[in-house]
Amino acid sequence: MKISAILAQNIIDGLASVLQQQLNVFDENGYILASTSPSRIGNFHGGAAKLISEGLQELFIYHDGEYEGALRGCNYSLEIDGKVIGAIGISGECDEVYRFGQIIKRMTEIQLAENDASEKKKIANRIRDRFFDDWILTDISYTDVSFIRRAENQHIDIHIQRRIVIFQLKKLEQYRDTAAGQQTIDAVNRCLREQTGNIPNALFSKTPSQMICLLPYLSNARLYRFIMDVFSTVENRFHEILIAGVDSEKEMGRVTMHHAYEKASRALMACIKKKDCRILFYDEASYELLLAEISEHSREAFMRHIFSSCTEEEIDEYCLLIQSLYQNNGSIMKTASQHYIHKNTVQYKLNRITEKTGYNPRDWLNIPLFYLAILFHDRQG
């Protein structure tokens, strides 16, 4: 481990504010990395160089200039994991400053060790994140020797049959560009990581917008219970709403994690665009997946084509009426009853729709057009 100059100066500033002493941190070659006297930074300190090169625990200097670039004071080696990585010195009469020496040494070593552990954890997390990116987001070969070795290093069995659930905050756009919003995203991420960790062999990963749970095989029914538990926990803790997309149970074991992720991602995107939908299983989705691929511009153009001469209020009314007609298998009587109107009124309205649009909603050739229009209208609501 090398001591960072920035970290060393932060440590020095913190200690000096408490002890009101002149302090220096030295690198492994005896040069001053940080100091309460900025003019000394970068200078060679012969005493520190001797301390480090000879493996001494401490070195007291009683006269200025006793060693090159050194002032009187007490100097102590800094060790992390049994290895000397530098030194710290406190200037002044040795008899006066000695009582602070061991305390300063130990406090500095603790801060250096904590920073080292934090940096190692960050590196390990980045390595793990890169592995997940390759495993989930790219179509990597499971026979790739280097990939297998990376999985072993992460203690991950890539051959376990897994399901993928992707979660996302329903109102994600509100949180992306603010510090408070990012804190909310991070907190929800930690919550889901915790929830996933309660399941043996389950894994958690994330992208800037998605929270990805890789779970050992669970049926759709059991996955549904897991998802509802997650929804409930997040709502209770953070008062936030999640949505979820789930991969294909039918294709599990026959596709890679990347292909399973793509299916879960498509289900999530369809869920986002479907009104009042919070969970969508890929196997249970049909037209939702198709509609998710159609751009908003294309949907709007289609609606303008079908209802070109209709007002927004008429479009709302007509879509609701036609939807009831189709749900009732074309029954005028049932549709009239559902809307609390006379059957002749339904007949009049249907004729009016035909006049305004040029398409008869009862003509089987036009049913797909109006059904699609109803779906598009539902997503605009």
Side-chain angles (χ1 to χ4, degrees):
M1 172 188 172
K2 279 186 171 291
I3 303 175
S4 141
I6 294 175
L7 174 62
Q9 192 61 55
N10 288 338
I11 292 173
I12 286 292
D13 292 343
L15 291 172
S17 66
V18 176
L19 298 175
Q20 303 297 317
Q21 299 291 332
Q22 297 296 308
L23 302 167
N24 303 298
V25 170
F26 312 99
D27 67 14
E28 70 276 15
N29 298 311
Y31 286 87
I32 299 176
L33 266 180
S35 176
T36 50
S37 300
S39 61
R40 297 189 68 191
I41 294 174
N43 293 347
F44 179 74
H45 191 286
K50 175 181 175 66
L51 175 75
I52 295 167
S53 64
E54 297 183 8
L56 305 177
Q57 290 292 311
E58 56 187 22
L59 180 70
F60 298 160
I61 300 174
Y62 294 95
H63 307 288
D64 292 351
E66 188 175 339
Y67 295 91
E68 181 185 346
L71 302 178
R72 65 185 182 280
C74 301
N75 302 278
Y76 303 88
S77 64
L78 295 172
E79 298 181 32
I80 300 294
D81 297 328
K83 182 180 179 181
V84 176
I85 59 170
I88 188 166
I90 177 169
S91 301
E93 297 295 337
C94 291
D95 292 343
E96 296 178 5
V97 300
Y98 174 75
R99 68 182 187 276
F100 301 121
Q102 288 299 326
I103 296 174
I104 290 174
K105 167 184 166 69
R106 187 59 186 143
M107 289 176 66
T108 303
E109 288 177 337
I110 289 172
Q111 291 186 67
L112 289 172
E114 288 178 346
N115 183 77
D116 184 50
S118 175
E119 288 301 314
K120 286 178 178 177
K121 184 176 180 180
K122 289 178 182 177
I123 292 171
N125 286 340
R126 285 197 292 270
I127 292 172
R128 192 173 180 85
D129 287 344
R130 282 197 294 271
F131 172 80
F132 276 114
D133 286 349
D134 288 343
W135 188 23
I136 300 171
L137 303 182
T138 66
D139 197 14
I140 195 165
S141 171
Y142 282 25
T143 61
D144 185 303
V145 175
S146 63
F147 175 69
I148 294 172
R149 188 177 299 114
R150 289 168 62 197
E152 291 171 349
N153 290 339
Q154 294 296 325
H155 306 290
I156 293 174
D157 185 349
I158 58 176
H159 300 295
I160 291 178
Q161 290 191 339
R162 301 180 189 275
R163 303 292 307 276
I164 290 185
V165 182
I166 305 176
F167 292 93
Q168 181 177 305
L169 283 165
K170 187 174 181 65
K171 299 179 180 179
L172 180 65
E173 297 300 326
Q174 296 182 9
Y175 301 105
R176 278 179 165 164
D177 299 326
T178 66
Q182 192 57 55
Q183 288 176 346
T184 298
I185 293 174
D186 292 343
V188 174
N189 271 323
R190 288 193 295 272
C191 178
L192 260 72
R193 188 184 295 275
E194 174 189 310
Q195 293 282 98
T196 306
N198 293 329
I199 300 175
N201 294 315
L203 302 168
F204 178 83
S205 184
K206 62 183 177 65
T207 69
S209 61
Q210 298 178 343
M211 294 158 275
I212 308 167
C213 298
L214 290 78
L215 308 171
Y217 172 71
L218 296 174
S219 66
N220 282 351
R222 292 181 62 193
L223 270 183
Y224 180 83
R225 291 196 294 273
F226 167 76
I227 294 169
M228 293 307 296
D229 286 342
V230 170
F231 283 175
S232 177
T233 300
V234 170
E235 287 179 37
N236 289 336
R237 289 190 189 179
F238 310 107
H239 307 292
E240 298 295 340
I241 302 297
L242 291 177
I243 55 177
V246 187
D247 68 350
S248 170
E249 182 179 22
K250 295 176 182 177
E251 296 188 5
M252 193 196 68
R254 301 202 300 268
V255 296
T256 63
M257 279 292 98
H258 172 62
H259 288 112
Y261 165 79
E262 284 189 325
K263 286 178 169 52
S265 187
R266 289 183 66 193
L268 177 67
M269 293 306 298
C271 185
I272 292 171
K273 295 182 179 181
K274 186 177 181 183
K275 186 179 179 181
D276 298 327
C277 179
R278 294 192 61 188
I279 306 173
L280 194 59
F281 288 79
Y282 185 89
D283 292 334
E284 297 175 1
S286 52
Y287 59 81
E288 290 94 348
L289 297 176
L290 173 62
L291 295 182
E293 302 295 329
I294 300 175
S295 70
E296 183 177 351
H297 174 76
S298 296
R299 293 197 301 270
E300 290 176 352
F302 180 84
M303 292 294 286
R304 285 196 301 270
H305 173 72
I306 299 297
F307 298 105
S308 58
S309 60
C310 301
T311 65
E312 289 299 322
E313 291 76 12
E314 286 175 331
I315 294 173
D316 292 341
E317 179 187 0
Y318 295 163
C319 283
L320 187 61
L321 183 68
I322 296 170
Q323 184 175 26
S324 298
L325 181 71
Y326 293 164
Q327 287 173 345
N328 290 303
N329 295 317
S331 171
I332 299 292
M333 290 292 292
K334 290 181 179 179
T335 302
S337 176
Q338 186 172 338
H339 286 264
Y340 303 103
I341 57 179
H342 194 274
K343 65 178 183 177
N344 290 343
T345 304
V346 173
Q347 187 72 50
Y348 168 79
K349 289 180 180 292
L350 292 175
N351 290 337
R352 183 63 174 160
I353 293 172
T354 302
E355 292 173 7
K356 296 277 285 188
T357 67
Y359 299 101
N360 185 346
R362 287 167 290 178
D363 188 329
W364 68 273
L365 289 175
N366 296 329
I367 289 175
L369 296 177
F370 281 107
Y371 189 66
L372 202 55
I374 291 167
L375 296 176
F376 288 167
H377 182 262
D378 184 53
R379 277 150 184 74
Q380 293 173 346

